[in-house]
Amino acid sequence: MAPDISSAPGASSSTPQAPDEKPSAPPVNILPSLIARIYSIAHPALLLALGATRFEALVANPTKELISTLPWLTLLQIFYVIVCLPPTGSAPSLETSAPAPADVKSSPRSSGPSGAARHGKHGKRKQHANNWACIWSRLLPALLSLSLTFALATPVFTILLVLFGAPLTTHNSETVLCAAHMAVLSATALIYAHGLDRNVWNEVWGIARPADAVWGSALGTCLGAWLGAVPIPLDWDRPWQAFPITILFGAYIGYAVGSLLSRTPLVYGKRVQFTSEGLSETEKKTT
């Protein structure tokens, strides 16, 4: 009689197993520098101030005002991602600089005053080169993320606005400009921090990302715009009820609330759960 292979020791290791699922990308942390932490809190306030100061002009001429404020919004978002967020593919930065180890043996040529001067000039040139390399390593992803935002995210938001009730045959310029504002608010930081990672974007579309400043601001933008559409059909006969004024201000307010709320200890790292089954799956992934 043939021996039972399944009961032999080590047989289970030869059986094929399904590959493990790729773990989800962790929440994005604000960079630990003092400037990043201060500006990450001041940034939502600046965006709200920008919207509040231009409210009357937006009501008077929405198209003109949406065009004139879009460059300012873009600059603020680019500055925010460069200063406060790690670019995609970068390792978590602790921003702790240890002093370079001193040479055990110093040559006689470099021990004199002239050698120290040459060493100081060389160190300054190297420091300037490192600073420019660091700036470029953040500026280039920011520009690429902005390009993808206008090329990909703006058409997506335009279609979503139409599907959720925006006029199809009229107010086309207002629809596209409102979509551009929402795209810059929500997608710029997502693309900068995660690139085109398929797993991350599947979680974005499935509303399954762990809460952080990037995902919270994007989700808050969409929810704020959705809630901002509520006053439009009401018969209050107010000039600010015209499309897309309330939607745009809802997106700005939702961005600020989502960005700040998602960084609190009660929300950070948590996921939106729809069923108990999803909760158990999330716990398995985190463990």
Side-chain angles (χ1 to χ4, degrees), residues 3 10 31 55 63 79 88 99 106 112 125 131 136 163 166 174 217 221 234 263:
L31 293 177
F55 179 77
T63 302
F79 185 76
T88 177
S106 58
R125 287 197 299 267
N131 291 337
W136 180 249
L163 292 177
E174 289 91 339
S217 59
T221 299
L234 301 179
R263 296 176 57 187

Side-chain angles (χ1 to χ4, degrees), residues 161-275:
L161 286 174
V162 173
L163 292 177
F164 276 91
L168 180 60
T169 58
T170 60
H171 298 79
N172 293 329
S173 58
E174 289 91 339
T175 302
V176 175
L177 289 171
C178 181
H181 278 253
M182 292 178 61
V184 173
L185 284 172
S186 59
T188 305
L190 277 173
I191 299 175
Y192 180 84
H194 299 294
L196 300 178
D197 190 340
R198 182 178 178 181
N199 293 327
V200 171
W201 288 99
N202 286 338
E203 291 178 340
V204 169
W205 289 110
I207 316 180
R209 284 290 304 155
D212 55 27
V214 176
W215 169 234
S217 59
L219 185 60
T221 299
C222 298
L223 290 178
W226 180 58
L227 294 175
V230 173
I232 294 179
L234 301 179
D235 56 351
W236 295 344
D237 296 330
R238 298 291 191 271
W240 51 264
Q241 289 180 259
F243 173 82
I245 298 173
T246 57
I247 294 177
L248 186 66
F249 272 91
Y252 273 72
I253 295 173
Y255 175 93
V257 173
S259 176
L260 297 176
L261 183 63
S262 60
R263 296 176 57 187
T264 60
L266 293 177
V267 180
Y268 177 80
K270 306 293 176 53
R271 301 172 188 262
V272 178
Q273 301 297 336
F274 298 99
T275 61

Side-chain angles (χ1 to χ4, degrees), residues 14 62 144 275:
S14 61
L144 291 176
T275 61

Side-chain angles (χ1 to χ4, degrees), residues 125-136:
R125 287 197 299 267
K126 187 175 181 180
Q127 183 179 2
H128 288 313
N130 291 335
N131 291 337
W132 279 111
C134 181
I135 294 174
W136 180 249

